[in-house]
Every structure is written in C-alpha cells, then in structure tokens.
Amino acid sequence: MNEKPRELRESVRRHYAAAAVQVSEGGGACCGPQPSLGCGDPVAVAELREGERVLDLGSGGGADVLLSARRVGETGKAYGVDMTDEMLAVARANAAKAGAANVEFLKGTIEAIPLPAGVVDVVISNCVINLSVDKTAVFAEACRVLRPGGRIGVADIVAEDRLSPEQRAERGDHAGCVAGALSFGEYREGLEAAGFTGVEVTADHPVADGMHSAVVRAVKPDGDASSAGRSTRP
C-alpha cells in the first residue's frame, strides 16, 4: 500500500476510534448519531432468514450485528469485522449487555477478512465500503467468504456517474463517508468484476449534491469456481 492510501486508512481508523471513545462516554459521532447507525438499514435490505450466517463489514459498535443475530436466531450466527480496537471493545460490551450468544466480533480489515472461504450466507455493510482504500479487494473478499448462492445487502454512499472523484471530494471528506464514494456505475462494475450477478444499486435518499445513500444487492452464483464447495461452517 503506498503512502496516500495508508494515510487515508489511518485517518479513518483515528476518526472511528475517537467516535467509539465518545460513544462509550455517552456521546455520538460519525455518519450518524452512533458509530453503528450508518446511512441505511442493511439488515432489512439483506432479508435475513432463520439459521443463516451473516457477516457485517465494518461492524463498528455492533448494532447491525446484534440485529442480525436476532433475525437469524439461535441456529444462525452473526459475525462483525472491524479494524478499530476501540470499536471492537464497544461492540463486545454491547453484545454482553444484550446476552447475545450467537455473535462474534473479529479484528481485521474488510480488504482481508479473517474468515475462511464460503462460510457465510449473507454479507452486509452499513456506510463503510465507501471508506475503504481498496474497494476491489473488498468486493473480492466479500465474494470469497460467501457460499455459492450467497448474497450481499449493503447500505452505502454512492455518487452520480456525472461526478468526478475531485467533485466528490469537494462535497465532503473521506472519513465523513463522502470523498471515497464510488459512482453508481463503478459500484456495479466492481461487483460484477468480483464475480457477483444480479447487481442492483438503487438510490435511497440524497446526502449532498449528486451524492446519495443507496441500497446495494448482489448474488454470488451457485457453483462459483472461486469457492471450495459449500459452506465449511467454522
């Protein structure tokens, strides 16, 4: 990773570490009032079902993981992955307070998910993929950890195709979930290049001129050669 992406990732880490500390002290920050609020409702978008295994990319304070855990029930499991120690501490405290036994929070980046291939049914994310400095790796990793036939349901900030990266940066900074946003076309192309089909990127509501909170859905095809068969269920 060259210096610019490394600096961007570190600025994001510092921003959300500070947000976690603020929340633990009773405050709020980031893309919404709390670190896990994000910009949409990926749990509803993903239409989670009893018994499924779900992974939240950039799980923050763990709210979407805990909601997912309730949706999938005792026979399912909800994972969260986050790179920030402070966020993980908040998430684990929230899980303990909720008495959630079917959750697990993992330290790692969404560009290198610390799970084996083909182990989850659903990947969700709430206003986090736009923060990544390597979205190609994020899409490839999401496809890798999904079982064949698995799906993604994401809420994210997306730019209209008319906006250049420089114009997106004028509308907000990277850590604030704006400057790093992909366009609608780039999002579709990135997911398709990673092997997904049935890609839908649909605007939900505007967040700035030419920038929207969007709902993203896609499916990993059955029998994908990149996966070693069906889920290995860790």
Side-chain angles (χ1 to χ4, degrees), residues 35 39 53 58-59 67 81 95 110 112 114 118 136 141 148 154 165 168 173 219 225 229:
C39 56
R53 295 199 168 214
S59 49
L67 288 171
V81 62
I110 62 175
T136 298
E141 280 290 272
V154 167
R168 299 170 211 174
D173 64 15
V219 177

Side-chain angles (χ1 to χ4, degrees), residues 16-100:
Y16 287 92
V21 171
Q22 188 174 356
V23 166
S24 68
E25 294 174 350
C30 90
C31 299
Q34 299 181 41
S36 296
L37 186 59
C39 56
D41 186 358
V43 177
V45 169
E47 299 177 343
L48 300 179
R49 298 185 284 269
E50 188 85 15
E52 289 188 318
R53 295 199 168 214
V54 57
L55 168 66
D56 183 14
L57 302 181
S59 49
D64 288 325
V65 174
L66 295 177
L67 288 171
S68 298
R70 287 199 287 270
R71 291 283 184 92
V72 301
E74 294 180 1
T75 60
K77 185 165 184 177
Y79 295 97
V81 62
D82 202 280
M83 68 177 179
T84 309
D85 289 324
E86 294 86 349
M87 279 293 185
L88 289 167
V90 170
R92 287 167 180 152
N94 288 338
K97 188 182 301 182

Side-chain angles (χ1 to χ4, degrees), residues 130 135 157-159 168 177-183 186 211:
N130 63 77
K135 296 172 182 66
I157 302 299
V158 183
R168 299 170 211 174
C177 306
V178 174
L182 295 174
S183 71
E186 289 166 346
M211 309 287 293

